[in-house]
Amino acid sequence: MSIRRLPEHLVNRIAAGEVVERPASALKELVENAIDAGATRIGVSLGQGGLGRIEVIDDGCGMDRDEMALALERHATSKLPDDEIDAVTTLGFRGEALPSIASVARLAIESRVRGADGWSRIVDNGRLAGEGPAALPPGTRILVEDLFANVPARRKFMRSERSEYAACVDVVKRLAMARPDVGFTLEHDGRRNFSVPPGEDRPARVAALTDRGLAENSVGIDYERGRARLGGVAGLPTFNRGIADHQYLFVNGRPVKDRLLIGALRGAYQEMLARDRHPVVALFVDLPGEEVDVNVHPAKTEVRFRDPALIRGLIIGGLRHALDAAGHRSVQRPQEVAWQQEPIAPPPAAMPLWEQMHSMPSGAGSWNGGQATLARPAFPSQASGVWEARQDYTPAPMARAEAATAAPPEARRFPLGVARGQVAATYIVAEAEDGLVLVDQHAAHERLVLERMRRAMADGGVARQALLLPEVVELDEVACDRLEARIGELAEMGLELERFGPRAMLVRATPALLGNGNVIGLVTDLADELAAFDEALSLKERLDHVAATMACHGSVRAGRILSVAEMNALLREMEVTPHSGQCNHGRPTWVKLAHGDIEKLFGRK
């Protein structure tokens, strides 16, 4: 069989298979062309999910008659004035989009340069169908109809109109986020989906296109490492989604879906979110053009970095630095009541009292026959600063949780208020100056234990508590091998293991911070965690995840009755602990019901 040169229309159809995979792909190319043309307003109108109709109108620089004809030829572009492809700054540069789309659809172009007459050109599935003068404002209007109508082999692989439309919306949203200086409007079958004005700031644009609540439940990012810079907004860990459809990543203003960036994002949030939850973020990476290769994929959705480790460190470091600054902020989004959350400043002096209080007996207080029976509350000693039981304590009247012999602390002194009682032996009720605070004691203490373990690791290691009788934990052989390979790392975290036959591990010591916990459950869970993350994460990330698992086993459980002093000590430590607004799995640790919301519930407002 002899080699032959393919005809132009077949070449364009092959190229269309690479560039125009679905309506969203064609729409992406057209909107990118409008942005590169200097448009300040871009209107998009779709029909039948983009399969029947795609229209893009912009107020950019426009094209004259000769340029329009040239634009419909392959590898003809205005975006590479020289041969320096590594220095390209525009979204498009290949010169393949328009001829590829025109080869598989009916394409009509109308364009006008300022100060000149307009011109139109129609191409029907690769054949010129007509051209002539056109009346329109300065800019360009492109209409694509019946995409893949003459290519049934491609058309039958398209998904439903709803799915194709969702993909188109995602494309326009990402491009709109990348350029908050440009106004965007999107309509589908005559109904407007969204409209954003030009000249917005980045956080406002991101919130408008994702979730309006993101503005109040996110932190700004401005972080540099080397020649790279990270900007954008990151949602609080408790402001999360069940799927990763609200993660927007950009490199030099170009929307991308890069595995390196996604992996770094997961690494930054890993110990703050449950495995089936995903953060809401919009991250913008800016670096010199020679440090990134955008000519990797025909659709330009993938990039290759010259120094991947630098970019990974940039994202993880930038996100964690921003989230650390958020302190213990948490999101409140109930169904009916508007919960209020204010940024909380730590009190003037830290009160590391919960370390002593959380080890008190579980029978610190109880209810018996409708009467309140409370243990003696503890108060700080003048001499030592250690919490000691008061001898002059008398039981409080029923339905009061605080000690009756001393005046209750002023709620205005503490951002999370003063403990007034406990509900269902699980939730702490506290009174703050501006409302009522409810705290999940297990979730809150879980985060506090994790942060203590982190501090101990940073200071050289976690203190161990030797077991009087070593515990034998039976596991399958693969799990034992996995734990044995990490014995040194686990020892730094206070867990001392050794192999005890082919299918068992011997536990000689546990982290002192965890107290007397379920050793078998702890080791079993750690083996499961290492099985899921052993190869995927770096040493530091793996240890963080292991620490989170340990903290869960060492925290105060729901169902334990706490004394008022224990509750207050927990609240005070939360106020000075980073990330205490959410537990290790991303769930909120506390919510606030403002005075105004309480009044609404009782019809006073």
Side-chain angles (χ1 to χ4, degrees):
M1 185 177 294
S2 60
I3 297 175
R4 71 184 182 100
R5 186 182 297 275
L6 298 178
E8 186 68 18
H9 73 277
L10 186 55
V11 171
N12 286 336
R13 185 165 291 185
I14 293 173
E18 298 177 344
V19 178
V20 188
E21 300 177 359
R22 58 193 307 189
S25 305
L27 178 60
K28 172 181 176 293
E29 298 291 342
L30 298 179
V31 176
E32 286 182 349
N33 282 346
I35 293 174
D36 290 338
T40 60
R41 293 182 181 272
I42 299 175
V44 178
S45 178
L46 304 173
Q48 300 176 10
L51 289 167
R53 181 172 177 273
I54 300 174
E55 183 181 32
V56 177
I57 302 175
D58 68 71
D59 61 353
C61 62
M63 296 178 287
D64 59 28
R65 177 177 179 176
D66 295 334
E67 288 178 330
M68 187 180 297
L70 192 60
L72 290 169
E73 296 183 9
R74 294 189 69 234
H75 304 306
T77 181
S78 63
K79 304 171 186 180
L80 282 176
D82 51 37
D83 297 336
E84 297 296 330
I85 192 172
D86 292 337
V88 65
T89 58
T90 55
L91 295 175
F93 55 86
R94 290 174 177 267
E96 292 182 312
L98 288 180
S100 297
I101 296 171
S103 68
V104 292
R106 180 179 175 86
L107 175 70
I109 303 179
E110 296 178 356
S111 190
R112 178 183 162 215
V113 179
R114 285 170 177 78
D117 295 331
W119 191 259
S120 68
R121 193 177 183 93
I122 301 174
V123 180
D124 190 356
N125 287 277
R127 295 183 299 273
L128 180 64
E131 60 180 331
L136 73 159
T140 302
R141 173 180 177 267
I142 297 182
L143 177 63
V144 179
E145 295 177 299
D146 299 326
L147 187 65
F148 300 129
N150 290 357
V151 192
R154 293 290 303 279
R155 183 77 178 228
K156 70 179 182 181
F157 283 101
M158 295 297 102
R159 303 178 67 182
S160 66
E161 290 183 9
R162 181 176 297 180
S163 298
E164 297 298 340
Y165 171 60
C168 290
V169 172
D170 183 68
V171 162
V172 179
K173 281 186 174 182
R174 291 177 187 274
L175 290 169
M177 283 185 202
R179 294 297 299 270
D181 57 316
V182 179
F184 285 82
T185 301
L186 175 62
E187 296 180 352
H188 181 244
D189 289 337
R191 292 188 303 174
R192 178 166 295 184
N193 180 285
F194 69 81
S195 180
V196 289
E200 289 185 306
D201 59 31
R202 182 175 285 172
R205 173 63 62 87
V206 171
L209 296 173
T210 54
D211 189 322
R212 293 289 181 181
L214 181 64
E216 291 78 30
N217 296 288
S218 62
V219 292
I221 303 173
D222 189 4
Y223 188 77
E224 292 187 28
R225 177 172 290 191
R227 302 174 66 189
R229 183 169 187 169
L230 178 67
V233 294
L236 297 177
T238 44
F239 192 86
N240 53 56
R241 303 277 299 215
I243 55 177
D245 63 339
H246 276 42
Q247 296 176 2
Y248 302 93
L249 307 174
F250 305 85
V251 176
N252 289 346
R254 183 187 308 278
V256 298
K257 296 181 179 180
D258 186 81
R259 285 179 291 180
L260 170 68
L261 303 182
I262 294 173
L265 173 61
R266 290 174 179 169
Y269 275 92
Q270 65 169 355
E271 81 280 2
M272 303 178 198
L273 285 176
R275 295 179 186 175
D276 58 346
R277 307 301 297 177
H278 304 272
V280 179
V281 299
L283 303 181
F284 298 81
V285 178
D286 295 298
L287 68 166
E290 61 270 16
E291 296 296 323
V292 57
D293 183 5
V294 299
N295 191 26
V296 177
H297 190 276
K300 303 178 292 295
T301 57
E302 299 178 9
V303 294
R304 182 179 293 120
F305 297 100
R306 187 182 298 273
D307 188 353
L310 171 67
I311 302 303
R312 178 176 172 82
L314 174 77
I315 292 177
I316 293 179
L319 281 172
R320 290 188 173 175
H321 181 268
L323 293 174
D324 284 345
H328 61 278
R329 286 175 57 194
S330 175
V331 62
Q332 332 304 326
R333 291 184 296 183
Q335 296 298 320
E336 299 179 359
V337 181
W339 300 91
Q340 179 173 319
Q341 176 74 38
E342 296 292 340
I344 293 180
M351 299 171 61
L353 306 169
W354 181 248
E355 269 82 354
Q356 291 82 25
M357 299 307 302
H358 84 280
S359 61
M360 293 179 66
S362 59
S366 61
W367 291 92
N368 184 13
Q371 299 292 324
T373 304
L374 299 176
R376 292 178 178 176
F379 295 87
S381 167
Q382 293 287 342
S384 64
V386 178
W387 287 70
E388 300 174 349
R390 288 187 60 130
Q391 301 300 322
D392 59 345
Y393 170 76
T394 57
M398 185 176 68
R400 285 186 63 85
E402 67 273 10
T405 57
E410 294 185 14
R412 68 176 60 94
R413 293 176 51 199
F414 305 111
L416 290 181
V418 176
R420 298 304 186 199
Q422 196 176 13
V423 177
T426 302
Y427 305 101
I428 298 171
V429 181
E431 179 186 2
E433 183 179 15
D434 55 347
L436 189 69
V437 177
L438 298 175
V439 179
D440 184 332
Q441 65 189 41
H442 171 67
H445 192 223
E446 188 178 19
R447 169 59 66 177
L448 299 183
V449 172
L450 173 60
E451 296 301 329
R452 288 188 210 139
M453 293 191 70
R454 283 180 169 172
R455 290 195 298 269
M457 287 291 297
D459 294 338
V462 178
R464 305 177 191 180
Q465 175 178 302
L467 300 181
L468 184 61
L469 295 175
E471 187 89 31
V472 177
V473 181
E474 295 184 354
L475 301 165
D476 61 74
E477 188 170 355
V478 175
C480 291
D481 292 340
R482 207 174 285 123
L483 287 169
E484 186 179 21
R486 306 299 173 192
I487 282 180
E489 299 169 12
L490 295 173
E492 294 180 5
M493 308 187 73
L495 183 63
E496 186 176 342
L497 303 175
E498 68 178 64
R499 191 66 177 259
F500 194 71
R503 296 178 179 272
M505 298 296 296
L506 191 67
V507 183
R508 293 194 175 277
T510 59
L513 288 172
L514 305 187
N516 298 322
N518 181 357
V519 176
I520 296 177
L522 171 62
V523 176
T524 302
D525 285 353
L526 287 177
D528 293 339
E529 300 295 350
L530 291 176
F533 295 94
D534 198 27
E535 299 297 332
L537 299 178
S538 66
L539 175 66
K540 177 64 170 62
E541 291 168 327
R542 182 165 53 248
L543 288 180
D544 274 350
H545 202 89
V546 170
T549 302
M550 289 184 175
C552 183
H553 282 268
S555 58
V556 170
R557 294 295 179 180
R560 173 177 170 179
I561 298 175
L562 305 176
S563 70
V564 176
E566 287 178 300
M567 299 181 209
N568 279 319
L570 175 62
L571 296 175
R572 301 294 79 79
E573 187 174 355
M574 288 177 64
E575 290 168 351
V576 296
T577 300
H579 311 306
S580 62
Q582 62 278 332
C583 75
N584 309 341
H585 309 295
R587 295 186 292 269
T589 59
W590 64 276
V591 294
K592 179 181 287 184
L593 186 61
H595 288 155
D597 297 322
I598 299 175
E599 291 174 353
K600 288 180 183 178
L601 292 175
F602 288 95
R604 291 178 173 268
K605 199 171 186 179

